[in-house]
Amino acid sequence: MPRRTQVGIIGCGPAGLFLAHLLARAGIDSLILEARSRAAVEGTIRAGVLEHGVAALMQELGLAGRMLRQADRHAGITLQWRSQRLHLDLAALTGGKAVTVYAQHEVLKDLVAARLAAAPGSILFEAPARAVEGIEGDHPAILFETAEGGAGRLDCDHIVAADGFHGIGRGAIPASIRQEYGKTYPYGWLGVLVEAPRSWPELIYASQGDGFSLLSTRSPTVQRLYLQCDPADPVEAWDDARIWRELGSRLATDGWTLTQGKIFQKSVIPLRSFVCAPLRHGRLFLAGDAAHIVPPTGAKGLNLAVADVLVLSRALSRAIHRGDASGLDAYSDTALARVWQAQRFSAFMTRMLHRDPGETPFDTRLREAQLEQIALSPAAATALAENYVGLPFPAED
Ligand SMILES: Cc1cc2nc3c(=O)[nH]c(=O)nc-3n(C[C@H](O)[C@H](O)[C@H](O)COP(=O)(O)OP(=O)(O)OC[C@H]3O[C@@H](n4cnc5c(N)ncnc54)[C@H](O)[C@@H]3O)c2cc1C
């Protein structure tokens, strides 16, 4: 039985869910097709830092109840190198802005629950999209597999592929017009979740000893820690003793001890930068990780996905309500301008904080000089802070 909606969305990640809420606010009907189960979507551990504008958007959309009760506002971060810590006062450097530390899967739980409460049946889980058709005409459709294993069809006016890096959407843009830019870094991140109290009041981005580490948090009793590692490392290569030894040395500073606890989750992720252009082909639009990936050092991936769909929702609203396609025509350029700024910042943070396997002592000193410049120059500190809390969203015409 074919279904019909105004905007068919592939993927129930941050991009797809924020888009569905923004469209609903604009009075536009949408349906999300998601390959995985609701439990898998709500249980995948990923990002944790929300830019100032994303947290504000959650409030504006009436989705921030739990976030406001449970999340932490961080008005500063700490940078560490050569056992020295530098407090970067984000709020003072950006006119009062801050980030919110609230795990991505908690955001997703809030957005899924609110969407299904407002529009029951508007997300189909375990319904993977297999192909899109008709995107160059006026009647596109998504062909998908139903949860029962049958063949489904979703007819729509517009399709948004918010299906992440491994989705099917990007490949539907013909290779002859699709440009892809990318870089894979020679290091990855080992991420662990730990049952322990906080060791430090704010996030610490450290570059010391064998490379990068990040001390982050999830709650007063659960901490999130990351270590630069070989991206080919199996998780088993990192037993708990090795993890604590490395974290201890990469975060060591006089008069402070890292609080240890039970490690209950470990994963290794590769680091890559990737951009696909354009973000539109006919009636198909790409948003979020489907179109671009940033290394997580700048905490930008989720935030960029939200910025994309904010621009796209306005453009779809103008096209659907006023018959004016100018926003859709401009979507790719408008979104990509912000994407490239985030790519620049993420690559800058990544290079400054990671030890390249082929690094010479000269290279190490250059990276440390970059960190020292942030300590010495208010202009350098402000540039980092402005990008970290998030550049303004593109203005509405
Ligand atoms: C360890 C780690 C730490 C990170 N830290 C941060 C951070 O601090 N801050 C930050 O901003 N970002 C961070 N990120 C990045 C962030 O998690 C991603 O950028 C974000 O999830 C992108 O959202 P998305 O909706 O575009 O894609 P995704 O979250 O990947 O969602 C895509 C969805 O589409 C579904 N899908 C795929 N194919 C199909 C199909 N064929 N049919 C139907 N559904 C499909 C997938 O199952 C998935 O649910 C981090 C990432 C990792 C891995």
Side-chain angles (χ1 to χ4, degrees):
M1 178 87 157
R3 293 165 173 264
R4 185 163 171 82
T5 187
Q6 286 175 294
V7 180
I9 301 173
I10 310 173
C12 186
L17 278 166
F18 270 95
L19 179 63
H21 280 281
L22 287 161
L23 291 175
R25 182 174 69 170
I28 297 169
D29 181 53
S30 70
L31 183 78
I32 297 180
L33 299 173
E34 166 58 47
R36 296 181 297 156
S37 68
R38 180 173 179 178
V41 167
E42 294 182 345
T44 304
I45 308 296
R46 293 185 80 181
V49 177
L50 307 184
E51 287 179 356
H52 164 83
V54 171
L57 183 64
M58 290 209 25
Q59 293 192 52
E60 209 183 294
L61 290 168
L63 298 167
R66 216 161 57 93
M67 181 187 84
L68 290 173
R69 287 194 301 279
Q70 295 180 9
D72 284 330
R73 181 177 182 273
H74 283 228
I77 55 170
T78 297
L79 297 175
Q80 175 170 342
W81 68 103
R82 288 187 173 248
S83 302
Q84 304 292 314
R85 286 190 180 169
L86 170 71
H87 167 65
L88 201 68
D89 190 336
L90 298 173
L93 292 163
T94 62
K97 292 180 183 161
V99 294
T100 299
V101 176
Y102 190 51
Q104 175 167 327
H105 64 284
E106 301 296 347
V107 174
L108 296 188
K109 281 183 202 166
D110 297 345
L111 269 64
V112 166
R115 188 73 198 118
L116 290 178
S122 63
I123 306 173
L124 301 188
F125 292 99
E126 299 176 71
R130 295 295 182 213
V132 295
E133 64 175 38
I135 55 175
E136 291 173 352
D138 292 337
H139 304 290
I142 306 171
L143 308 182
F144 66 98
E145 196 176 311
T146 65
E148 298 73 35
R153 177 186 176 91
L154 178 61
D155 291 301
C156 24
D157 298 325
H158 305 276
I159 297 174
V160 178
D163 50 352
F165 187 65
H166 301 288
I168 57 138
R170 192 170 63 249
I173 299 183
S176 56
I177 60 163
R178 196 173 73 230
Q179 289 181 304
E180 297 190 348
Y181 309 85
K183 177 181 169 65
T184 304
Y185 297 85
Y187 31 76
W189 278 16
L190 172 78
V192 297
L193 280 170
V194 181
E195 275 171 22
R198 285 184 186 134
S199 302
W200 191 250
E202 56 193 25
L203 272 54
I204 304 177
Y205 289 81
S207 183
Q208 185 168 297
D210 283 339
F212 173 78
S213 60
L214 168 59
L215 180 132
S216 178
T217 183
R218 283 294 185 253
S219 73
T221 54
V222 175
Q223 310 313 316
R224 181 76 165 140
L225 297 150
Y226 296 99
L227 275 171
Q228 173 183 343
C229 66
D230 185 325
D233 277 352
V235 175
E236 300 71 46
W238 287 88
D239 60 39
D240 293 5
R242 183 179 177 203
I243 292 171
W244 290 120
R245 198 168 54 246
E246 274 302 315
L247 283 170
S249 118
R250 294 188 202 183
L251 288 163
T253 190
D254 283 348
W256 178 84
T257 316
L258 174 63
T259 308
Q260 298 189 7
K262 183 177 167 221
I263 295 175
F264 63 93
Q265 202 260 357
K266 297 180 195 175
S267 55
V268 172
I269 57 155
L271 262 60
R272 70 162 75 86
S273 302
F274 173 81
V275 179
C276 165
L279 303 184
R280 175 194 186 179
H281 184 67
R283 287 181 176 254
L284 172 73
F285 300 85
L286 306 184
D289 278 15
H292 41 74
I293 297 283
V294 283
T297 331
K300 289 283 160 258
L302 177 157
N303 296 298
L304 264 189
V306 177
D308 283 356
V309 297
L310 181 65
V311 174
L312 184 54
S313 68
R314 292 173 183 158
L316 286 166
S317 174
R318 195 192 289 185
I320 290 169
H321 292 313
R322 292 197 256 147
D324 173 0
S326 60
L328 295 181
D329 294 340
Y331 166 64
S332 188
D333 288 345
T334 308
L336 283 173
R338 200 172 184 285
V339 166
W340 280 110
Q341 287 303 315
Q343 289 288 355
R344 185 206 64 76
F345 177 66
S346 303
F348 159 76
M349 290 287 280
T350 301
R351 287 202 206 97
M352 177 171 73
L353 291 165
H354 290 75
R355 169 183 278 276
D356 192 281
E359 185 165 300
T360 65
F362 178 82
D363 299 327
T364 309
R365 287 301 296 129
L366 274 188
R367 289 196 301 103
E368 290 172 351
Q370 178 65 64
L371 283 155
E372 276 147 22
Q373 199 199 22
I374 293 161
L376 294 170
S377 157
T382 304
L384 196 159
E386 281 175 345
N387 282 275
Y388 192 80
V389 300
L391 298 176
F393 290 137
E396 201 164 1
D397 290 343

